[in-house]
Amino acid sequence: MRSYTSTSERRPWMASAIWGWRLELSLAFATVMVLAVADAVSPVGPFVVVTGALVALWRRPDLRKRLEATARDNREIRWLQYALWHCAVVGRDGSIPKVERSARLPVGRRYLICLPIGLHCEALQDRSNELAAALSAREVRVKAIAQNARYVEVAVIYANAFPALIPSPLLHRPSLSLWESLAFGTGQDGLGVTIHLPEHNLLIGGEPGSGKSVALSSLVAAAALDPSVTLTLLDGKQVELAPWSPLAERFVGADQGEAVGALEDLRELMDRRYAALAASRKRKLTPHDLDGLHVVVIDELSFYLRGGKKEAREQFAELLRDLVSRGRAAGVIVVASTQKPSHEVVPTWIRDLFSFRLAFRCTSPDASDTILGQGWASQGYSAATIDPGMRGVGYLLAEGGLPVLIKTPYLSDGEIDQLAHRALRLRGAR
Ligand SMILES: Nc1ncnc2c1ncn2[C@@H]1O[C@H](COP(=O)(O)OP(=O)(O)OP(=O)(O)O)[C@@H](O)[C@H]1O
Ligand SMILES: [Mg+2]
């Protein structure tokens, strides 16, 4: 096997290095040429050219900023190339991966990289810690591109994407449509993470104080800001969802019998909607239908599934299963939270029906797996690894098929009141 330091293997690397300096080299070359021509024209020519260039840069801050940004981008690309070279991340011919495109992230930079023959995504993933150290970064993340194994996405993260509090984007929204993708949190790359709730149900789990009710508040706020959405709220603790009760068609506190009644009414609603859909030869509710989405939020499932009388518990469990399994096409969305979604608290036959899952900090990899699904912890997606101090941080398994670490926005009591008032005005104005 050839060593990457041989002269023949240096050539592709040198070409990349020179290419990385193209802006600076072309500017230097153009400057020398212009100065030489100006000097030939008049002895004061170079002075006039330099003064003119300085005045142009002073008068055109946009141009100056663009030049600075391009120089900074090129410099960061060069750093990555140096790191790849120094860490010997090279293909069979000694060439380093080629940066095809790059873009700024709120907490670093991401690159679309074309791999030379001999390298593959896992090989780069194995070296990510080494690359992070070479780049003095917090972390380097390498993601495969599903359409083409030759390309990978590399994110170099320099700053913490999870500040103590992330303000809710809903605070700036006068109204919204729940049929559209909903901003649900911030990912590790500092970019927003969205979910598309129609035709999905969401199960949220995590240890006490991990951030479940805060996440539920954000979802209720979003649903409330869509005047076409009807809300049913079930809150075993009463205080978490209480500020939203004036907006709900039905608010149930710590009363199991009433909770069963609410789910029975929802089943009737679902049956009516299916009958209407069948009559109009449609298979599912769409944004153009008169009936809007119906969002059912349950904070602390265990209160209704574990407490009270056995008969009421079983009735509640059966109604919930029916709602989660048949609600999709009828526009009924169930969002539920639980401190411990083990089979003793939430029967597996209900839990497995939730297509979206969010696992906040858990005490063990097993507990994390009971929320996300069997096997994720052993693949490196364990909510037990989340620092207990990082409240509101969890693994979201939704679109994309792989769990992603996110932090949800925080809504203070005052902000919840503000949003609830806005939603009330909006609904009153309908
Ligand atoms: N996204 C977040 N950003 C910042 N702080 C958060 C966030 N989520 C939760 N917290 C903090 O954690 C505290 C507990 O959150 P929350 O009430 O949502 O926990 P929980 O999981 O519902 O707990 P329990 O199981 O006891 O009901 C909040 O009062 C807040 O201080
Ligand atoms: Mg709670």
Side-chain angles (χ1 to χ4, degrees):
M1 204 175 152
R2 292 185 299 170
S3 148
Y4 69 85
T5 49
S6 78
T7 322
S8 64
E9 286 171 346
R10 268 186 189 279
R11 258 184 249 124
W13 153 242
M14 282 167 67
S16 305
I18 292 169
W19 181 246
W21 286 94
R22 64 194 179 283
L23 175 73
E24 290 79 355
L25 289 174
S26 354
L27 275 178
F29 181 71
T31 309
V32 169
M33 292 303 288
V34 169
L35 289 178
V37 171
D39 192 37
V41 172
S42 155
V44 290
F47 173 76
V48 174
V49 168
V50 171
T51 313
L54 288 175
V55 169
L57 285 178
W58 174 59
R59 297 294 301 242
R60 291 281 308 273
D62 59 319
L63 198 68
R64 200 175 64 233
K65 282 203 184 102
R66 240 183 37 219
L67 265 175
E68 278 169 7
T70 313
R72 195 177 53 229
D73 293 353
N74 285 350
R75 193 176 60 227
E76 288 184 13
I77 293 173
R78 285 197 303 270
W79 284 347
L80 178 66
Q81 288 173 329
Y82 292 143
L84 289 166
W85 172 248
H86 285 298
C87 295
V89 181
V90 290
R92 282 193 209 291
D93 66 350
S95 58
I96 57 167
K98 189 171 161 224
V99 177
E100 294 280 346
R101 252 181 280 153
S102 83
R104 196 150 277 287
L105 290 172
V107 290
R109 194 165 191 87
R110 71 175 158 181
Y111 304 87
L112 177 69
I113 299 236
C114 178
L115 299 172
I117 304 291
L119 271 184
H120 51 89
C121 180
E122 287 78 30
L124 218 61
Q125 277 165 342
D126 289 347
R127 314 293 294 279
S128 56
N129 287 342
E130 203 179 331
L131 284 169
L135 287 161
S136 301
R138 278 175 85 96
E139 195 189 349
V140 167
R141 279 204 307 278
V142 181
K143 202 169 93 188
I145 303 277
Q147 297 87 340
N148 191 335
R150 188 144 189 217
Y151 291 87
V152 291
E153 192 186 291
V154 173
V156 182
I157 308 296
Y158 290 103
N160 180 12
F162 298 152
L165 289 182
I166 297 176
S168 171
L170 295 175
L171 293 169
H172 310 291
R173 301 282 306 263
S175 66
L176 53 83
S177 166
L178 212 60
W179 286 99
E180 287 163 14
S181 290
L182 179 69
F184 189 48
T186 301
Q188 275 173 297
D189 49 12
L191 295 175
V193 174
T194 58
I195 53 170
H196 186 71
L197 275 181
E199 297 193 44
H200 293 287
N201 299 292
L202 171 66
L203 177 68
I204 303 176
E207 65 181 26
S210 54
K212 301 180 295 294
S213 298
V214 169
L216 284 181
S217 282
S218 282
L219 290 168
V220 180
L225 287 175
D226 180 343
S228 69
V229 169
T230 314
L231 277 166
T232 296
L233 305 177
L234 280 72
D235 181 2
K237 278 192 189 168
Q238 307 220 46
V239 290
E240 299 289 0
L241 300 177
W244 303 105
S245 59
L247 287 144
E249 186 186 66
R250 189 151 185 183
F251 179 85
V252 180
D255 183 330
Q256 207 176 30
E258 208 190 326
V260 169
L263 293 201
E264 274 170 350
D265 288 352
L266 285 166
R267 183 160 68 178
E268 272 172 32
L269 168 106
M270 199 166 63
D271 289 340
R272 275 199 311 276
R273 284 190 173 187
Y274 273 120
L277 283 172
S280 52
R281 303 174 72 81
K282 287 208 258 167
R283 282 183 300 170
K284 62 180 183 186
L285 199 79
T286 67
H288 313 291
D289 288 314
L290 220 55
D291 286 329
L293 294 167
H294 196 117
V295 177
V296 185
V297 178
I298 309 172
D299 197 353
E300 213 29 77
L301 266 178
S302 62
F303 178 84
Y304 303 105
L305 285 170
R306 293 288 290 163
K309 291 199 187 101
K310 184 167 180 279
E311 194 190 335
R313 280 205 303 266
E314 284 175 359
Q315 219 179 339
F316 185 89
E318 174 48 30
L319 284 162
L320 181 64
R321 185 205 58 76
D322 190 28
L323 210 58
V324 178
S325 60
R326 287 199 302 134
R328 187 185 62 81
V332 178
I333 299 165
V334 180
V335 181
S337 85
T338 177
Q339 285 177 345
K340 194 171 180 285
S342 63
H343 59 273
E344 308 104 55
V345 178
V346 188
T348 330
W349 44 273
I350 293 182
R351 207 182 62 221
D352 290 346
L353 292 170
F354 284 85
S355 50
F356 286 177
R357 316 247 178 120
L358 173 58
F360 285 117
R361 154 96 194 158
C362 290
T363 40
S364 68
D366 273 354
S368 175
D369 267 0
T370 57
I371 304 163
L372 291 177
Q374 208 53 45
W376 283 116
S378 58
Q379 291 182 53
Y381 304 100
S382 167
T385 59
I386 296 170
D387 186 317
M390 286 168 64
R391 293 170 177 222
V393 174
Y395 277 106
L396 174 70
L397 182 59
E399 274 113 330
L402 276 184
V404 287
L405 199 64
I406 66 158
K407 175 154 182 155
T408 58
Y410 180 75
L411 282 171
S412 67
D413 290 348
E415 287 166 341
I416 288 178
D417 277 348
Q418 185 190 332
L419 286 171
H421 275 110
R422 188 182 302 165
L424 268 178
R425 276 203 311 275
L426 198 66
R427 284 158 186 260
R430 247 200 310 172

